Amino acid sequence: MKSPPWPKGRKLVHLDLKGAPPRVGYLHRLIELFSQLGLDGLLVEYEDMFPYEGELKLLQATVQPAYSREEVLSMQEFAKCKGLEVIPLVQTFGHMEFVLKHRPLWSLREVAHCVGTLNPHREGGVQLVMEMLRQVVELHPGLNTLHIGADEVYMLGDGDESKLWLASPGRTVEQLFLSHVTKVAQAVKEAWPHMSVIMWDDMMRGMSPDTLKASGLVGLVQPMLWDYTPNLDVDTTVSLLEKYCSAGMSDLWAASSFKGSTCVYTCVPSTQRHVDNHVQWLQVAASLSAAVNLQGIAITGWQRYDHLSVLCELMHVALPSLAACLQTLIRGQFSAEAQSSVTESLGISSVEAQAMGRTSADDSLFPGRRLAELTVELDSLLNSEDIRFFDNNMYVRGWFSSYHRQRKTVTSLITMQIHSQALTYLTTLQEKVAAVREEMVRLYPESTAEEWIEEHVSPVVAPLQRITDDITARLNETQP
């Protein structure tokens, strides 16, 4: 079903830099593509890749170097030249794992064993997030819009100080959340009166309009409602946005997804899944009352579910999905014409990464295409049943089980066949992994390649390697 195209408002792409941060040269090539695809801005979540200074220098990444001040400024200048606005996202309440994991800051956690949630009662907590914001704003000259996060504030109210606060009659966890966010938003407005402040909406979804009105938050923030599912509930989403509007928050944002929201360890995205999400968002936008002032949509591309989780799909392999989602927003549906626009602009034969092929030799159309092809090929190998379940196949279970190995009753003829097949698979995988590694380090830090291979390849290779090593040892024992 065709919907009206996305209404007036900015179309942002989310750059989640807390995993697989692109090398600067690749980042510039991506920005160029984003501009060509029709995006209006970047929602940049730096986390530990920002060059914090002074007492906050401990927040910088140690596995790979954070971007330098010069690199952050050059990225903004390049984006500006391409017509893209840069909006930084700095978490100020929940998902502060990259901050609160550091021992000197442990005392600022809401609960000792919850690494991500800031204690809202400690004055040092507000001072910390305001210093983080100050450094980020200072390194973004001319900044007009700032995202302060505030999603998924887990275990809020479970800390000792929160329990004491909540013991007073009439106080609720909702009020506890709102008081902290309001304090941060007010401090931002005092420091930078011109600044528009965006925040995630999920912690407010169950709140009444009266609760929101009484918080003092109205007029300070623009909620960004996120939903990444392909079967997004249109009526419920419209009702939520209308509720925020009725509470006085008429300036609102949507947030969709082009990658990083299917499964915490997905390697290759399903374009159709993300297109379906955008089709639903178009229906939401078309159903809103005129009172809702939709500021735009952020097309998120999560690199990790949180700072401490594994890598999701990397940017290079998700570019067809991003292009398809944008065409859906621009055209009101993902028609045959939209598909052709994507495949022609990227020089590929299919919008699904698993079958994208190539129709052009020009890699500049699709920065990182060679790595995307190799990633898809390797992912297909890793997920083939013959390889993934090799140690559970008929021959291994039938003639080289742990029972046989313990009693040394293995059959040499069949185990040699098992050995030969395992070696063939190992060699094929090792060759493909070497090619992926070589290409990946051109676009991402060495640490990204190491992590990706350790997480996705090693668990599959290890059983094959154990079997070949075991058979080799046993064959050597039987040699005269």
Side-chain angles (χ1 to χ4, degrees):
M1 182 179 72
K2 189 177 190 304
S3 299
W6 189 257
K8 187 175 78 169
R10 286 165 282 180
K11 293 185 288 294
L12 312 176
V13 63
H14 174 229
L15 284 180
D16 181 11
L17 301 177
K18 64 176 175 280
R23 293 187 185 273
V24 173
Y26 186 47
L27 184 56
H28 284 212
R29 292 177 65 197
L30 289 171
I31 290 171
E32 175 119 32
L33 177 66
F34 297 157
S35 175
Q36 292 171 358
L37 292 177
L39 285 156
D40 304 305
L42 312 175
L43 180 62
V44 185
E45 188 164 358
Y46 292 100
E47 274 219 356
D48 58 359
M49 288 304 295
F50 187 80
Y52 288 107
E53 297 183 325
E55 292 184 359
L56 296 187
K57 191 167 185 177
L58 84 166
L59 304 185
Q60 288 191 28
T62 54
V63 177
Q64 70 276 325
Y67 292 118
S68 68
R69 294 176 63 84
E70 293 72 25
E71 288 169 339
V72 171
L73 290 169
S74 74
M75 179 271 288
Q76 293 173 69
E77 187 60 35
F78 190 75
K80 183 179 178 181
C81 289
K82 298 299 176 182
L84 298 175
E85 177 184 11
V86 175
I87 299 175
L89 191 165
V90 182
Q91 289 286 4
T92 57
F93 205 173
H95 281 304
M96 291 190 65
E97 293 90 354
F98 87 102
V99 177
L100 301 177
K101 71 178 184 180
H102 297 286
R103 183 177 289 273
L105 301 173
W106 284 3
S107 63
L108 294 178
R109 296 179 187 177
E110 166 73 339
V111 179
H113 59 273
C114 182
V115 185
T117 298
L118 189 72
N119 182 332
H121 306 280
R122 301 282 176 90
E123 189 57 34
V126 175
Q127 292 172 356
L128 170 68
V129 297
M130 285 309 300
E131 177 59 16
M132 290 166 60
L133 291 171
R134 186 197 67 75
Q135 292 196 24
V136 169
V137 172
E138 183 269 330
L139 202 55
H140 289 75
L143 186 66
N144 295 310
T145 307
L146 181 65
H147 197 309
I148 60 170
D151 61 317
E152 298 182 330
V153 187
Y154 299 128
M155 305 197 75
L156 180 62
D158 287 356
D160 291 340
E161 289 169 87
S162 287
K163 288 176 180 177
L164 186 62
W165 188 88
L166 290 167
S168 296
R171 288 182 175 177
T172 65
V173 174
E174 289 180 348
Q175 292 170 340
L176 183 57
F177 170 80
L178 291 169
S179 65
H180 175 79
V181 176
T182 301
K183 191 182 297 184
V184 172
Q186 285 174 336
V188 170
K189 287 291 190 179
E190 288 170 8
W192 308 284
H194 68 284
M195 194 76 71
S196 295
V197 181
I198 303 172
M199 65 173 283
W200 297 118
D201 85 297
D202 54 284
M203 294 295 293
M204 302 187 294
R205 290 180 188 176
M207 299 181 190
S208 69
D210 287 343
T211 297
L212 293 171
K213 287 177 184 176
S215 69
L217 199 55
V218 175
L220 293 176
V221 299
Q222 300 173 0
M224 179 178 276
L225 197 160
W226 58 271
D227 193 318
Y228 312 139
T229 55
N231 57 346
L232 178 157
D233 188 320
V234 173
D235 292 340
T236 299
T237 306
V238 169
S239 295
L240 272 172
L241 289 166
E242 296 286 0
K243 179 186 77 172
Y244 296 141
C245 183
S246 72
M249 299 173 171
S250 57
D251 291 337
L252 296 161
W253 290 78
S256 57
S257 171
F258 74 97
K259 78 177 188 76
S261 59
T262 303
C263 175
V264 69
Y265 50 78
T266 305
C267 284
V268 180
S270 163
T271 295
Q272 188 60 55
R273 173 188 172 89
H274 297 292
V275 164
D276 290 346
N277 175 242
H278 287 78
V279 169
Q280 299 298 92
W281 269 114
L282 285 168
Q283 293 180 34
V284 169
S287 304
L288 294 171
S289 68
V292 174
N293 184 17
L294 206 55
Q295 297 291 301
I297 186 168
I299 308 173
T300 64
W302 299 99
Q303 200 51 81
R304 301 185 193 276
Y305 273 35
D306 66 40
H307 180 77
L308 301 173
S309 67
V310 299
L311 292 169
C312 303
E313 312 95 302
L314 302 190
M315 179 63 78
H316 62 275
V317 80
L319 292 178
S321 175
L322 174 62
C325 293
L326 266 169
Q327 281 296 310
T328 302
L329 292 177
I330 291 167
R331 296 172 183 265
Q333 64 177 340
F334 195 52
S335 59
E337 292 78 14
Q339 293 189 52
S340 295
S341 176
V342 173
T343 55
E344 289 172 16
S345 65
L346 297 181
I348 54 179
S349 57
S350 171
V351 296
E352 288 292 352
Q354 294 89 338
M356 62 186 173
R358 70 161 65 198
T359 60
S360 166
D362 186 0
D363 277 343
S364 66
L365 297 171
F366 181 164
R369 181 170 64 182
R370 176 57 183 151
L371 180 56
E373 292 166 350
L374 289 169
T375 302
V376 169
E377 291 169 9
L378 179 53
D379 183 63
S380 178
L381 276 174
L382 293 170
N383 285 291
S384 67
E385 290 194 2
D386 287 346
I387 291 179
R388 180 168 285 275
F389 303 112
F390 184 83
D391 58 346
N392 200 38
N393 73 27
M394 182 181 75
Y395 296 102
V396 175
R397 289 192 64 181
W399 284 271
F400 199 65
S401 69
S402 58
Y403 178 90
H404 292 104
R405 279 175 272 180
Q406 288 168 10
R407 288 160 179 76
K408 299 185 177 181
T409 58
V410 297
T411 304
S412 296
L413 180 62
I414 295 182
T415 53
M416 288 174 69
Q417 293 173 352
I418 295 170
H419 187 258
S420 175
Q421 187 61 69
L423 277 178
T424 300
Y425 288 149
L426 273 173
T427 301
T428 302
L429 284 170
Q430 287 164 353
E431 289 173 353
K432 191 66 68 178
V433 169
V436 166
R437 181 190 290 275
E438 181 181 1
E439 196 65 27
M440 194 174 285
V441 297
R442 299 179 195 275
L443 309 184
Y444 304 100
E446 291 268 0
S447 58
T448 296
E450 291 172 9
E451 179 182 352
W452 193 91
I453 291 167
E454 178 68 25
E455 290 291 346
H456 297 292
V457 180
S458 297
V460 179
V461 168
L464 290 171
Q465 192 66 60
R466 282 196 298 270
I467 286 172
T468 56
D469 291 347
D470 202 354
I471 292 176
T472 299
R474 292 178 187 282
L475 288 176
N476 288 337
E477 288 175 3
T478 61
Q479 297 299 317

